Amino acid sequence: MTESRKTADVHTHFLPRDVLDFLRREPRIDARLEQRAPDKEPYLTVEGRWSFELKRTFVDFEAYAAAYERAGIGLALVSPLPQLFVYHLPADLGALVAEVYNDALREVLAPHRARFRPLATLPLADPVAAARELERRMDEGFAGAIVGPGVGEALIGDEVFWPVWEVADARGAVLFLHPLLHADPRAARLMMPNLVGVPWETTLAASHLVLSGLIDRYPGARVLLAHGGGFLPYQIGRIEQGYDVWPQVRARLQDRPTAYLRRMFYDNVLWSDAALRCLIDVVGADRVLGGSDFPFDLSAWPPRAGADVSALLGADAGDRCSP
């Protein structure tokens, strides 16, 4: 077993203090810190919707890195917070947020690149600007970008976002598909926006990637799905049956749906041995990577060992994993 297999975490988040300072100064973004309990850190609420405890490990890199040191994790693929995608805000503001966040993450991680590699956030409300931002950050050594399931009613695989996919394809970039909270009002109770809505958002966007033929169109992009791919691996039999029954399902595909699932990557943030076995049976053990979702409350910490990350990050990934 290689060192990268033992120690990698492909799903973790960090918020540089410079970004927090920017949010305090920027009146166009509704970001509020609230002390809700004396025994907890303040909660950060973005745009009135996405509240979470802003633990010290989110913003203090020494504390964040120390947690990885204690856990023996040799390589972490560090993502911006999905709460700050801000795709719904004006495109120029989204571009500013992406620039500030990516600059800050680059500076924090620069002295530690052997162990912590950044993913960029992109201003997807302007896909051309998002493509330029991805190109720029790849030039700076980012591994790729974290992206949401789409913007408004447009899914990330839709033609409007093809400029981003063109860059990812040409540069071999990781596109980490990470969901936002589901907005269906029927689910707005009992923590279901997170418990059920989060994997559902991944399922919807990833199913579209498969059925649209986009994976054939941009084979060089390295798609990574959060939370074990949502419900998609568990329901692939239904999609396979639809492929057999309905010509419109087969129309854009060069292979069976399961074959496309085996061309994407997945974290193992599942908390269930049975679910993990199902995922591995469907996509192959070499496609399932260690992840944690640290430092969020619903994290799998420390991350469970997964496959070698070299296929995701390139031939030099193993060299970057030594503790």
Side-chain angles (χ1 to χ4, degrees), residues 1-322:
M1 183 181 293
T2 66
E3 196 64 42
S4 53
R5 179 182 173 92
K6 293 178 183 177
T7 66
D9 183 356
V10 299
H11 184 173
T12 176
H13 304 278
F14 188 74
L15 177 64
R17 291 191 186 276
D18 285 353
V19 179
L20 198 56
D21 292 342
F22 164 78
L23 293 175
R24 292 189 179 106
R25 299 190 308 267
E26 178 50 72
R28 294 176 293 172
I29 300 176
D30 182 9
R32 304 178 185 183
L33 280 171
E34 178 186 6
Q35 189 71 50
R36 296 185 178 179
D39 60 336
K40 291 183 176 292
E41 299 294 332
Y43 277 69
L44 178 62
T45 302
V46 180
E47 295 294 308
R49 290 180 283 182
W50 299 309
S51 296
F52 64 100
E53 185 185 359
L54 193 62
K55 301 172 186 176
R56 181 186 171 198
T57 42
F58 272 115
V59 296
D60 182 336
F61 185 75
E62 289 187 4
Y64 176 87
Y68 277 87
E69 182 70 27
R70 289 191 298 271
I73 309 304
L75 175 66
L77 197 58
V78 184
S79 292
L81 299 180
Q83 286 86 346
L84 291 172
F85 286 162
V86 298
Y87 300 154
H88 62 292
L89 295 181
D92 63 330
L93 183 54
L96 178 59
V97 172
E99 180 180 13
V100 169
Y101 207 137
N102 294 335
D103 283 351
L105 196 61
R106 179 195 63 208
E107 295 307 311
V108 168
L109 299 186
H112 313 280
R113 282 291 184 87
R115 300 191 65 173
F116 299 97
R117 291 195 65 187
L119 290 175
T121 187
L122 303 178
L124 285 185
D126 182 345
V128 174
R132 288 197 301 265
E133 182 69 7
L134 178 57
E135 187 86 61
R136 173 187 174 193
R137 300 306 173 174
M138 294 297 292
D139 288 342
E140 293 177 348
F142 283 58
I146 180 173
V147 295
V151 179
E153 295 183 0
L155 291 171
I156 189 64
D158 282 340
E159 186 173 354
V160 67
F161 300 114
W162 285 3
V164 175
W165 288 96
E166 287 168 5
V167 174
D169 180 55
R171 301 296 298 268
V174 175
L175 288 184
F176 179 26
L177 178 56
H178 192 293
L180 291 166
L181 295 181
H182 189 49
D184 187 328
R186 296 174 301 170
R189 61 189 111 175
L190 303 174
M191 298 301 291
M192 286 196 294
N194 196 316
L195 295 174
V196 178
V198 161
W200 159 245
E201 291 288 338
T202 299
T203 303
L204 180 63
S207 297
H208 181 253
L209 295 185
V210 170
L211 296 172
S212 67
L214 183 135
I215 294 174
D216 284 321
R217 185 180 183 91
Y218 299 113
R222 299 171 181 180
V223 179
L224 171 64
L225 302 182
H227 312 115
F231 306 129
L232 177 58
Y234 180 69
Q235 288 293 341
I236 188 59
R238 184 179 183 87
I239 296 176
E240 285 277 334
Q241 183 67 12
Y243 177 91
D244 288 334
V245 171
W246 289 322
Q248 60 266 42
V249 174
R250 299 192 295 272
R252 300 182 182 184
L253 303 184
Q254 298 177 16
D255 208 336
R256 298 191 66 86
T258 299
Y260 293 100
L261 265 64
R262 291 172 178 162
R263 289 168 59 180
M264 297 187 286
F265 295 89
Y266 307 77
D267 70 23
N268 59 7
V269 183
L270 288 167
W271 300 279
S272 164
D273 289 344
L276 181 59
R277 287 194 299 270
C278 174
L279 176 61
I280 290 172
D281 285 347
V282 170
V283 306
D286 61 322
R287 292 279 151 170
V288 182
L289 309 174
S292 69
D293 213 349
F294 182 79
F296 281 107
D297 286 346
L298 224 59
S299 65
W301 186 257
R304 187 171 186 163
D308 192 299
V309 297
S310 297
L312 178 70
L313 297 180
D316 66 335
D319 296 334
R320 296 177 182 271
C321 290
S322 57

